[in-house]
Amino acid sequence: MYVRTVATAAVLGAAAVLNPGPVAAPAQPPAALSALAGIPEESGAPLVIAHRGASAQAPENTLAAVDAAALLGFRWVENDVQRTRDGELVVVHDEGLARTTDVEERFPSRAPWRVRDFTAAEIATLDAGGWFGPAWAGARVPTLRAYLHRLDRNRQRLLLEVKRPGLYPGIEGDILRVLRAEGWLDPDRVRRRLVVQSFDAESLRTVRRLAPRVVTGFLGTPPVAELPAYAAFTDQINPPHTTLTADYVAAVQRLKGPHHRPLRVNTWTVNDPAGARRVAAAGVDGIITDRPDLVREALEERTEPGKR
Ligand code: G3P
Ligand code: CA
């Protein structure tokens, strides 16, 4: 508990200065992560992973959301990667740009505003923050490269989702090329800082074939009888929390994955304290959440006598 108490004290100070607003790029890593740098992660509680960044604090999948997670003291963030018409990898969740940018206003004749129909230069001009709140206007859809740079600066780690790979033939190779060029596949770093996940098993098999060192995660809840087949190519089974039971988690964790370690379970998207306590009691290894602060607090309360 000492570890978690120190960590909490460190991040509470930083959280107090967390202000919504346009995305500046401070030169230094946020103080919360610097304060946490020497603190081991292994406290026995599930890892808390900020979904699309701290996406309840800042517009999802932007650098601001990454910074918000860092300011709260969270090392791990999740994101979604897709490809533009001219082959650039960008961090955005939906197949279309309409929900999270001003693309309809800016390009009214380009319905249905699919990511793959726009060039990187066009996407770079969109406002990806105004929909979330006026203080965030001017945030951009980041390229994967810019996103990795920000994580590097913040000393954060990445759960990267290959989104709809069926729409983007060869995207796995494209993603791995960027990761390699940016040093994310270096042998001494790859296992500590990166997981590549997808709903698409074939995409994960491709990642494994191209870069066997990369840790992979399958999004979904395969039947228990099929789990051994999944363990041949994935290190994690990451199910929605609605499908999760303690028996299922145990069945996954009994198996060893392609890196000869027990399979891990990261469940999503848990945004309430009761849900966080329930999945923690079921034995998950990680909780993916839009509200990492709230989940951390729920997990800490769970460990204090009289609060169970
Ligand atoms: O990380 C799991 C979760 O992100 C999968 O669903 O739709 O939020 O990408 P979605
Ligand atoms: Ca995702």
Side-chain angles (χ1 to χ4, degrees), residues 60 84 118 138 146 242 248 254 270 273 279:
E60 65 181 57
T84 65
F118 284 78
T242 47
Y248 188 79
R254 267 197 294 276
V270 181
V279 298

Side-chain angles (χ1 to χ4, degrees), residues 35-115:
L36 289 172
I39 297 174
E41 272 180 2
E42 300 303 329
S43 65
L47 196 63
V48 180
I49 301 162
H51 183 235
R52 310 181 194 172
S55 55
Q57 303 268 0
E60 65 181 57
N61 277 327
T62 62
L63 301 185
V66 165
D67 287 346
L71 283 166
L72 290 166
F74 291 94
R75 280 197 177 89
W76 280 91
V77 299
E78 189 261 8
N79 76 354
D80 305 283
V81 176
Q82 301 189 65
R83 195 170 62 199
T84 65
R85 193 174 88 195
D86 52 345
E88 185 74 61
L89 297 172
V90 287
V91 177
V92 60
H93 177 272
D94 296 1
E95 183 179 346
L97 292 155
R99 181 178 63 85
T100 56
T101 75
D102 60 349
V103 70
E104 290 177 84
E105 250 170 68
R106 299 282 322 290
F107 298 94
S109 64
R110 302 270 296 273
W113 301 288
R114 293 180 299 212
V115 174

Side-chain angles (χ1 to χ4, degrees), residues 63 88-89 91 141-152 178 182:
L63 301 185
E88 185 74 61
L89 297 172
V91 177
V141 174
T143 62
L144 177 59
R145 210 174 283 274
Y147 196 90
L148 295 174
H149 288 173
R150 184 58 63 93
L151 294 182
D152 267 335
V178 172
E182 299 300 327

Side-chain angles (χ1 to χ4, degrees), residues 151-189:
L151 294 182
D152 267 335
R153 191 213 63 176
N154 291 353
R155 300 177 189 147
Q156 287 171 295
R157 300 170 186 187
L158 178 59
L159 174 56
L160 180 159
E161 182 180 342
V162 188
K163 202 58 157 171
R164 302 178 191 86
L167 297 177
Y168 307 105
I171 192 170
E172 298 85 2
D174 295 341
I175 291 170
L176 291 169
R177 260 189 295 284
V178 172
L179 289 168
R180 188 170 284 114
E182 299 300 327
W184 281 68
L185 301 189
D186 293 355
D188 55 328
R189 298 165 87 188

